[in-house]
């Protein structure tokens, strides 16, 4: 959803000429610069077509952490909060409003997570044509409907409760536009950016949808809590599909007044919880590390511990709702410039050039304009 128009990219490139990123152009010949992306693309293609890569891709795609949940919850060591902070509202795209927590000065590159936006898109707003390279985006829609369209000809719609997993890989240009609801209400959801492993940065772009009806759920604490298992595992229930290359767990948790949940998370993974509605308390009762966290706050956990302990006060006036998200950290450099997320400054500069010149993955961007974004073109 981080929208960069072609003019933005050209302007950014001119400014970059006065930055340290210019180094590669002043120290290398044009031919050498041109080979940066092609070399990476060739290496990526070789990697993706070898038996070694097939095995790795299979392991990444199918990897599920299986645990004895009952045993884990009985003796789980609680994860403590490293920091909790408010996701402040800001403008994004054209007329949209987002509460961004990851991808701000408060929390940058919490590997493998690059950005988390809690978005609200009212009629007349949206995210028209813009590019990506090097990451995956996961869009979870909670209210309304959002259309998408890209330069490969792919298009579709996600409705309330659905998710879309998009792998940008070597390059994609697309548009994400909200449906215009008859009552004028906003389209609301979350978008999470997840980093791709270095060897998959230049893979082919792809989309996968997960419909609300496909998402299993489990009731816990005598029915006082409900957990939708979007990805991962909770209390003996596995998600139906693993739809991202980078292993990620996403759990949508509703806590009625008095509900208490102990949610195991894989050891060594980075984890956070974003509070969508109400107020919650994290921590094990009697431990001395309990901490209340309010609506629109992101609680970032330390890596030590086996599980997230969370509850809604018995005297709460309403239900609380949060998402618990965990992912395997990637041991790699992260260099991000807007919608391009690579592993070096040289690659970022090459991505800008490739988008401008319609090459190395962006060939189909030349002359392409989405149908769904045309209402916002001037």
């Amino acid at each position: 959803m981080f929208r960069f128009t072609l003019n933005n990219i050209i302007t950014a490139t001119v400014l970059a000429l006065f930055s340290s990123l210019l180094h590669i152009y002043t120290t290398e010949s044009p031919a050498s610069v041109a080979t940066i992306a092609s070399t990476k693309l060739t290496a990526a293609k070789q990697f993706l077509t070898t038996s070694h890569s097939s095995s790795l891709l299979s392991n990444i795609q199918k990897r599920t952490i299986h645990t004895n949940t009952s045993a884990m919850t009985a003796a789980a060591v609680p994860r403590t909060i490293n920091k909790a902070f408010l996701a402040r509202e800001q403008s994004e795209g054209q007329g949209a409003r987002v509460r961004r927590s990851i991808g701000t000065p408060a929390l940058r590159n919490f590997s493998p997570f690059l950005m988390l936006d809690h978005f609200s898109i009212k009629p007349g707003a949206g995210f028209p044509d813009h590019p990506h390279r090097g990451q995956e985006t996961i869009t979870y829609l909670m209210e309304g409907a959002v259309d998408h369209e890209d330069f490969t000809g792919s298009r579709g719609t996600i409705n309330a409760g659905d998710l879309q997993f998009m792998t940008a890989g070597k390059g994609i240009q697309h548009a994400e536009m909200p449906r215009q609801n008859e009552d004028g209400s906003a389209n609301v959801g979350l978008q999470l950016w997840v980093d791709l492993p270095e060897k998959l940065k230049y893979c082919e772009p792809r989309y996968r949808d997960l419909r609300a009806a496909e998402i299993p759920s489990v009731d816990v604490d005598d029915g006082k809590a409900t957990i939708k298992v979007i990805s991962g595992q909770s209390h003996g229930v596995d998600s139906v599909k693993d739809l991202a290359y980078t292993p990620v767990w996403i759990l949508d948790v509703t806590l009625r007044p008095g509900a208490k949940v102990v949610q195991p998370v894989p050891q060594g993974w980075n984890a956070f919880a974003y509070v969508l509605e109400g107020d919650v308390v994290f921590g094990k009762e009697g431990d001395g590390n309990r901490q209340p966290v309010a609506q629109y706050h992101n609680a970032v956990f330390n890596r030590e511990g086996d599980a997230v302990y969370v509850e809604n006060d018995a005297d709460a006036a309403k239900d609380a709702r949060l998402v618990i998200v965990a992912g395997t950290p990637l041991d790699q450099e992260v260099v991000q410039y807007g919608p391009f997320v690579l592993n070096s400054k040289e690659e970022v500069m090459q991505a800008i050039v490739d988008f401008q010149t319609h090459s190395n993955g962006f060939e189909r961007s030349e002359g392409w304009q989405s149908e769904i974004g045309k209402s916002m073109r001037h």
Side-chain angles (χ1 to χ4, degrees):
M1 294 214 174
F2 206 122
R3 180 180 174 268
F4 263 61
T5 63
L6 181 56
N7 287 337
N8 294 143
I9 296 297
I10 294 172
T11 301
T13 305
V14 172
L15 292 175
L17 293 175
F18 296 94
S19 74
S20 61
L21 295 184
L22 181 61
H23 177 72
I24 62 168
Y25 292 99
T26 57
T27 60
E28 301 287 349
S29 67
S32 296
V33 173
T35 62
I36 294 174
S38 61
T39 301
K40 285 283 185 178
L41 286 168
T42 300
K45 290 175 182 177
Q46 290 175 345
F47 173 78
L48 289 169
T49 54
T50 62
S51 59
H52 171 76
S53 68
S54 299
S55 175
L56 175 59
L57 284 172
S58 177
N59 289 338
I60 290 174
Q61 288 180 284
K62 298 179 180 178
R63 181 178 177 185
T64 302
I65 307 294
H66 292 282
T67 59
N68 184 329
T69 309
S70 299
M72 283 192 68
T73 54
V77 176
R79 291 251 186 151
T80 57
I81 293 177
N82 178 276
K83 65 190 300 185
F85 59 96
L86 175 66
R88 300 188 182 278
E89 193 173 42
Q90 64 185 63
S91 296
E92 188 58 64
Q94 290 191 12
R97 304 293 294 177
V98 304
R99 290 184 177 274
R100 180 169 297 165
S101 51
I102 302 175
T104 67
L107 185 63
R108 287 200 184 279
N109 299 336
F110 185 52
S111 182
F113 308 114
L114 302 163
M115 190 186 80
L116 177 68
D117 278 355
H118 183 188
F119 62 82
S120 177
I121 318 172
K122 292 184 178 179
F127 301 90
D129 308 0
H130 59 282
H132 291 276
R133 174 181 279 180
Q135 78 274 60
E136 296 187 284
T137 66
I138 302 172
T139 306
Y140 182 20
L141 196 64
M142 296 171 179
E143 298 176 27
V146 171
D147 297 323
H148 70 89
E149 179 186 349
D150 71 28
F151 66 11
T152 70
S154 297
R155 61 173 62 200
T157 302
I158 55 172
N159 298 288
D162 295 343
L163 290 96
Q164 181 195 81
F165 293 70
M166 184 198 77
T167 302
K170 66 182 181 181
I172 195 80
Q173 186 178 7
H174 73 158
E176 300 158 288
M177 300 296 296
R179 287 288 176 91
Q180 303 302 310
N181 301 322
E182 292 183 2
D183 61 359
S185 61
N187 300 271
V188 179
L190 296 173
Q191 187 170 89
L192 178 68
W193 285 20
V194 182
D195 201 9
L196 276 170
E198 183 176 5
K199 288 182 181 277
L200 295 177
K201 287 287 186 180
Y202 294 86
C203 67
E204 290 294 324
R206 65 174 190 168
Y207 286 93
R208 289 85 59 222
D209 289 342
L210 181 64
R211 302 299 176 183
E214 298 178 288
I215 301 172
S217 63
V218 57
D219 290 326
V220 298
D221 195 18
D222 297 323
K224 293 196 291 289
T226 300
I227 303 172
K228 294 181 181 179
V229 188
I230 294 168
S231 179
Q233 186 186 67
S234 182
H235 298 79
V237 175
D238 282 339
S239 59
V240 175
K241 301 176 180 178
D242 291 323
L243 297 173
Y245 279 136
T246 302
V248 172
W249 282 21
I250 304 174
L251 305 156
D252 182 345
V253 183
T254 298
L255 301 170
R256 298 166 188 88
K260 298 180 179 181
V261 165
V262 180
Q263 174 58 50
V265 292
Q267 291 186 352
W269 284 22
N270 281 329
F272 68 88
Y274 179 77
V275 182
L276 292 160
E277 300 173 16
D279 302 325
V280 299
V281 178
F282 290 101
K284 189 175 182 179
E285 193 169 359
D287 265 8
N289 289 317
R290 288 162 59 80
Q291 184 171 337
V293 176
Q295 185 181 26
Y296 305 138
H297 282 67
N298 193 330
V300 182
F301 299 104
N302 291 307
R303 283 195 196 177
E304 296 77 16
D306 307 311
V308 172
Y309 284 68
V310 62
E311 63 186 71
N312 190 9
D313 192 274
D315 297 326
K318 60 180 181 179
D319 295 352
R321 185 182 181 189
L322 67 151
V323 287
I324 298 174
V325 183
T328 183
L330 300 177
D331 183 18
Q332 62 188 34
E333 291 293 322
V334 176
V335 180
Q336 180 176 350
Y337 191 83
F340 304 130
V341 185
L342 287 307
N343 301 115
S344 70
K345 293 179 180 179
E346 292 83 359
E347 288 179 280
V348 169
M349 284 299 295
Q350 189 65 55
I352 294 171
V353 171
D354 288 345
F355 180 63
Q356 287 182 288
T357 59
H358 317 297
S359 58
N360 295 318
F362 288 108
E363 289 84 357
R364 288 172 287 191
S365 66
E366 185 171 11
W368 180 81
Q369 291 184 322
S370 69
E371 286 297 316
I372 62 174
K374 64 182 179 182
S375 63
M376 303 194 76
R377 288 196 285 271
H378 301 292

